[in-house]
Amino acid sequence: MTDHDDATVDEPGADGGLVLPPPADPVSDARRGLAEQLVEEARATGVSLVGPDGLLADITRRVLETGLEVEMSEHLGYERHAPEGRVGGNSRNGIRAKTVLTEIGPVEVDVPRDRQGTFEPATVRKRQRRLQGVDAMVISLCAKGLTTGEIAAHLAEVYGADISRETISKITDAVLEEMSGWLARPLDRVY
């Protein structure tokens, strides 16, 4: 056998040949390295990993805001601070703070605005107060038999999110409407 740089031989394959571990994924390795660096910095500066002012909430906020900025640049056709924005027509018009409920708790994001009011973001839509994962979580808890009060208490205790019983009912009612529509759909004669 010959030595390979970082490869180790696991076991002989079905055909008797050597099986090497899968090649390293540079993107995955880079993300892991970045995550480790962020955790080390957070611990060194005394920032908690979770909670409203924690590292995870900050990363979530930054990712959402970056997505919104990319969408705004695509909408306007130029990058932030580009000279094209000074020519007139539609351009950036500040930001609007908005709190959205995520799977890790409430996160405040700055949503960019345009002068003509035609920007329709997809990352966090207009009037959207909850990300999709929160709705799925409420449905899952409801399916397990928890009442709206128990779900509200669970979300407040675990995520620090204040969701009313009425909001939880609206989420579950929307799913029930979809299910009723699906059950009442006309059936094909032959499948």
Side-chain angles (χ1 to χ4, degrees):
M1 279 193 235
T2 61
D3 289 339
H4 298 288
D5 292 344
D6 291 329
T8 59
V9 177
D10 286 342
E11 297 176 11
D15 62 354
L18 299 177
V19 176
L20 298 176
D25 179 8
V27 173
S28 179
D29 291 344
R31 287 181 186 154
R32 181 178 191 86
L34 179 60
E36 288 172 356
Q37 179 184 353
L38 289 170
V39 169
E40 286 175 20
E41 287 178 20
R43 286 187 175 149
T45 57
V47 173
S48 69
L49 297 179
V50 294
D53 297 323
L55 175 66
L56 194 53
D58 186 47
I59 290 172
T60 302
R61 178 187 58 80
R62 289 174 190 247
V63 167
L64 291 173
E65 288 177 352
T66 300
L68 290 164
E69 281 297 329
V70 167
E71 286 184 64
M72 178 60 84
S73 294
E74 289 174 358
H75 174 70
L76 296 175
Y78 63 87
E79 296 297 319
R80 182 181 205 143
H81 304 298
E84 296 95 323
R86 298 184 196 110
V87 180
N90 200 7
S91 61
R92 285 175 168 77
N93 190 26
I95 57 171
R96 171 179 56 88
K98 176 179 188 174
T99 301
V100 292
L101 184 61
T102 69
E103 293 159 314
I104 61 160
V107 174
E108 186 167 315
V109 295
D110 291 333
V111 180
R113 300 183 306 180
D114 64 330
R115 292 202 180 277
Q116 295 176 355
T118 56
F119 178 52
E120 293 287 337
T123 303
V124 180
R125 295 183 317 274
K126 289 183 178 179
R127 294 172 292 286
Q128 181 181 10
R129 294 287 173 202
R130 297 178 314 273
L131 297 186
Q132 293 294 334
V134 175
D135 289 357
M137 189 182 338
V138 168
I139 299 301
S140 173
L141 292 171
C142 182
K144 292 181 187 217
L146 273 68
T147 65
T148 56
E150 291 169 333
I151 294 171
H154 173 76
L155 294 175
E157 180 182 335
V158 175
Y159 300 103
D162 185 27
I163 301 180
S164 68
R165 292 179 179 187
E166 292 77 23
T167 300
I168 292 169
S169 290
K170 288 178 185 176
I171 294 170
T172 55
D173 289 348
V175 171
L176 291 174
E177 281 181 34
E178 286 181 34
M179 288 174 52
S180 297
W182 183 80
L183 288 171
R185 75 191 188 288
L187 299 176
D188 294 336
R189 290 181 50 82
V190 178
Y191 282 91

